[in-house]
């Protein structure tokens, strides 16, 4: 099939006297332009190999395959093996980084969706990070990037910006980038951003959800729906017949505060964190420990015991048990 496609393109180029690119090549050109990290460049190089192999087949005769072509095929196979080994090493490094984030105890929110739906713009609105510069381009983000944010309770979270989805590109090409979606599957919450102005709204939703379900099944991560939030972006220019769980505009910041509260509610639920009010001695070791190991939301005087303050905290189950072991005696 690839050889037939190449022949057809060659004939069209001869007829028009111009270079002609199919969908695969256009996407590859975009990938090359936006691959900046070592991981992204390796993924692009891996995705190119099937295309290069098909180009070699174009020059083969029906009965005889030249020694030169054989050599090139072997070189490509060797290159493919080396690239896969490098990607495997980087995957191990990514797993270590994920472990470090887990030890730091910051909830992770993965932001997924089709390319150009406004994922980076939404993260900018959620974090208030003025240094983020969203671009109106396909695949503006090919690398996983991480951005810190704060929710209404002052709980700190990490937003993970992922590679965008695109409809109808070769399966092999998408599979090369599945590694970037692993961060989404393993995140505490998955924020699926939809473009309310898209004419392909329903199809895009189905495609993203099916992909997430398939990947989560392969990775042994059950019930991804429980940590999934649908948010419709571009409400200011969107089709009002397209509906998401939450509707926002990254540009005008409509609905952003409501989204933050929804994120907080979901994070507390899926990460088994507790929102508690505890009466503790003023300036005691307990309060100092909580500042280091939990999120202190607010503090006020305990009217029933003037030596104490009422401390409102968000704390994980593990840290709560640790607090009890240290400070709560029998």
């Amino acid at each position: 099939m690839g050889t037939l496609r190449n022949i057809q393109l060659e004939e069209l180029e001869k007829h028009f006297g111009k270079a002609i690119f199919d969908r695969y090549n256009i996407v590859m050109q975009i990938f090359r332009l936006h691959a900046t990290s070592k991981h992204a460049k390796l993924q692009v190089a891996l995705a190119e190999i099937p295309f290069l192999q098909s180009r070699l087949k174009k020059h083969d005769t029906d009965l005889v395959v030249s020694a030169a072509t054989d050599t090139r095929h072997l070189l490509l196979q060797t290159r493919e093996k080396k690239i896969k080994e490098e990607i495997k090493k980087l995957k191990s490094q990514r797993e270590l980084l994920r472990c470090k984030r887990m030890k730091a105890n910051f909830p992770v929110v993965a932001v997924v969706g089709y390319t150009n739906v406004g994922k980076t713009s939404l993260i900018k609105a959620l974090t208030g990070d003025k240094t983020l510069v969203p671009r109106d381009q396909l695949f503006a983000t090919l690398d996983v990037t991480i951005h810190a944010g704060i929710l209404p309770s002052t709980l700190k979270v990490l937003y993970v910006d992922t590679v965008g989805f695109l409809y109808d590109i070769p399966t092999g090409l998408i599979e090369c980038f599945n590694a970037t979606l692993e961060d989404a599957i393993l995140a505490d919450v998955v924020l699926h951003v939809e473009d309310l102005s898209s004419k392909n709204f329903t199809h895009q939703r189905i495609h993203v959800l099916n992909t997430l379900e398939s990947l989560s099944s392969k990775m042994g991560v059950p019930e991804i729906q429980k940590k999934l939030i649908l948010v419709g972006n571009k409400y200011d220019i969107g089709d009002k017949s397209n509906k998401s769980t939450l509707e926002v505009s990254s540009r005008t910041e409509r609905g952003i505060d409501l989204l933050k509260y929804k994120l907080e509610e979901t994070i507390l639920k899926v990460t088994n964190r507790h929102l508690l009010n505890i009466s503790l001695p003023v300036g005691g070791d307990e309060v100092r420990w909580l500042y280091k190991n939990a999120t202190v939301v607010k503090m006020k005087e305990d009217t029933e015991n003037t030596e104490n303050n009422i401390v409102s905290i968000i704390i994980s189950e593990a840290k709560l048990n640790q607090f009890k072991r240290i400070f709560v005696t029998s």
Side-chain angles (χ1 to χ4, degrees):
M1 188 67 182
T3 304
L4 177 61
R5 181 186 66 187
N6 289 332
I7 293 172
Q8 291 171 337
L9 287 175
E10 200 171 59
E11 289 175 351
L12 287 170
E13 286 175 349
K14 286 179 181 178
H15 178 76
F16 291 105
K18 300 284 185 182
I20 295 175
F21 300 94
D22 62 6
R23 187 178 179 84
Y24 184 95
N25 282 302
I26 291 294
V27 172
M28 283 306 307
Q29 291 285 354
I30 296 170
F31 280 170
R32 288 191 201 100
L33 287 171
H34 294 295
T36 54
S37 74
K38 183 179 180 181
H39 186 264
K41 288 176 180 177
L42 285 170
Q43 295 285 10
V44 170
L46 183 62
E48 281 183 307
I49 287 177
F51 172 71
L52 294 173
Q53 288 172 333
S54 69
R55 295 284 290 181
L56 284 176
K57 289 177 183 177
K58 182 181 73 171
H59 299 292
D60 296 345
T61 63
D62 291 336
L63 300 174
V64 181
V65 178
S66 68
T69 302
D70 268 347
T71 301
R72 292 190 185 100
H73 274 298
L74 286 172
L75 287 171
L76 284 174
Q77 288 172 7
T78 303
R79 177 171 168 76
E80 183 179 27
K81 184 179 178 181
K82 287 182 177 179
I83 291 172
K84 285 182 176 179
E85 287 173 354
E86 285 296 312
I87 289 174
K88 188 176 180 180
K89 289 178 185 176
L90 289 176
K91 184 178 179 180
S92 297
Q93 292 174 12
R94 290 163 72 93
E95 288 172 352
L96 284 173
L97 287 173
R98 277 198 290 263
C99 288
K100 286 182 180 179
R101 291 202 296 268
M102 287 175 67
K103 286 181 180 178
N105 209 30
F106 291 127
V108 176
V109 178
V111 184
V112 305
Y114 256 66
T115 185
N116 221 28
V117 298
K119 296 187 296 297
T120 305
S121 297
L122 185 60
I123 291 173
K124 182 176 182 178
L126 286 166
T127 61
D129 186 351
K130 304 300 181 184
T131 63
L132 276 175
V133 183
R135 289 171 286 170
D136 186 15
Q137 297 173 344
L138 295 178
F139 298 108
T141 302
L142 270 187
D143 300 298
V144 169
T145 58
I146 299 172
H147 311 273
I150 299 176
L151 295 179
S153 66
T154 71
L155 179 66
K156 293 179 181 178
V157 295
L158 298 177
Y159 293 99
V160 179
D161 198 356
T162 62
V163 64
F165 285 72
L166 186 68
Y167 173 64
D168 194 25
I169 62 175
T171 304
L173 191 61
I174 285 295
E175 287 178 351
C176 288
F177 290 85
N178 273 353
T180 63
L181 292 175
E182 288 180 5
D183 288 280
I185 301 300
L186 297 173
D188 296 304
V189 174
V190 179
L191 195 60
H192 174 194
V193 185
E194 304 181 290
D195 182 355
L196 293 172
S197 68
S198 173
K199 294 179 181 178
N200 299 311
F201 179 88
T202 302
H203 170 79
Q204 290 180 359
R205 170 181 285 183
I206 293 170
H207 181 208
V208 172
L209 293 179
N210 285 346
T211 302
L212 292 176
E213 287 281 3
S214 175
L215 273 175
S216 63
S217 177
K218 288 179 183 177
M219 293 172 63
V221 180
E223 299 180 322
I224 193 170
Q225 292 288 345
K226 287 187 176 180
K227 60 181 183 180
L228 187 68
I229 298 175
L230 297 180
V231 55
N233 193 24
K234 305 185 184 181
Y235 180 83
D236 49 318
I237 59 171
D239 182 346
K240 300 303 182 282
S241 65
N242 291 332
K243 296 292 182 184
S244 286
T245 304
L246 290 167
E247 294 169 348
V248 304
S249 168
S250 298
R251 188 177 66 84
T252 66
E253 298 199 357
R254 176 196 186 274
I256 295 297
D257 287 341
L258 183 62
L259 176 56
K260 287 181 180 179
Y261 279 106
K262 179 64 177 177
L263 279 169
E264 186 168 278
E265 177 190 338
T266 306
I267 286 170
L268 293 181
K269 184 177 180 180
V270 300
T271 63
N272 202 20
R273 278 173 164 80
H274 304 279
L275 178 58
L276 303 173
N277 295 313
I278 311 176
S279 180
L280 297 172
V282 176
D285 291 339
E286 296 93 335
V287 175
R288 283 191 288 272
W289 189 93
L290 288 171
Y291 268 109
K292 290 181 181 178
N293 295 281
T295 298
V296 177
V297 179
K298 62 182 179 180
M299 194 181 302
K300 65 180 181 179
E301 183 182 341
D302 187 343
T303 56
E304 296 181 3
N305 184 348
T306 56
E307 294 182 355
N308 283 13
N309 281 331
I310 300 293
V311 186
S312 299
I313 60 167
I314 291 177
I315 190 168
S316 68
E317 182 75 20
K319 288 296 181 182
L320 179 60
N321 289 333
Q322 188 178 348
F323 178 84
K324 289 177 180 178
R325 286 197 299 270
I326 297 172
F327 298 108
V328 180
T329 64
S330 57

